[in-house]
Amino acid sequence: MRDMYEVMDMWGAWAAAECSGVDWQPIAAGFKGLIPHGKKSRIQCDDDEGIMIDGCVARLRKQKPEEYELVIAHFVVGISLRTIAKKQKCSDGTVRKDLQTALGFIEGMLAILS
């Protein structure tokens, strides 16, 4: 079983480096003006895995748009969960639960594709 947080972090680096075939917004909606925590030299996934995860994230966008925004803001843009929680005026725990929901959805999609 893979560590989905690590997988998504590598995918986020890959997507941020403009390897993604999907046109991700440079800043997720509602998070303009927030400064990313600045992971410039991150390890990226390979193109095959990146494309597969892109498909799963695109499906997440259709099914759970709020969780999609969270995934993009955190993994691609690099905004910390604490900053996202402050922006949404909710607790860190709520944001972490939403992120877990998104990661579970993506992991399930990857399991189906494998």
Side-chain angles (χ1 to χ4, degrees), residues 41-109:
S41 59
R42 300 189 290 173
I43 298 172
Q44 298 179 14
C45 62
D46 63 13
D47 287 341
D48 291 336
E49 187 172 21
I51 291 167
M52 190 180 332
I53 295 171
D54 261 358
C56 297
V57 174
R59 180 67 59 94
L60 177 70
R61 183 180 188 177
K62 290 180 184 176
Q63 301 294 321
K64 298 178 174 286
E66 294 83 17
E67 285 84 354
Y68 160 80
E69 292 293 337
L70 177 58
V71 166
I72 299 302
H74 184 63
F75 291 112
V76 178
V77 179
I79 301 170
S80 72
L81 295 177
R82 178 171 289 167
T83 303
I84 292 169
K86 285 181 184 177
K87 173 71 177 168
Q88 293 181 345
K89 296 181 178 152
C90 64
S91 71
D92 292 4
T94 301
V95 172
R96 290 181 196 285
K97 286 177 190 174
D98 290 345
L99 184 64
Q100 280 301 114
T101 300
L103 293 179
F105 182 93
I106 293 168
E107 186 172 22
M109 293 297 301

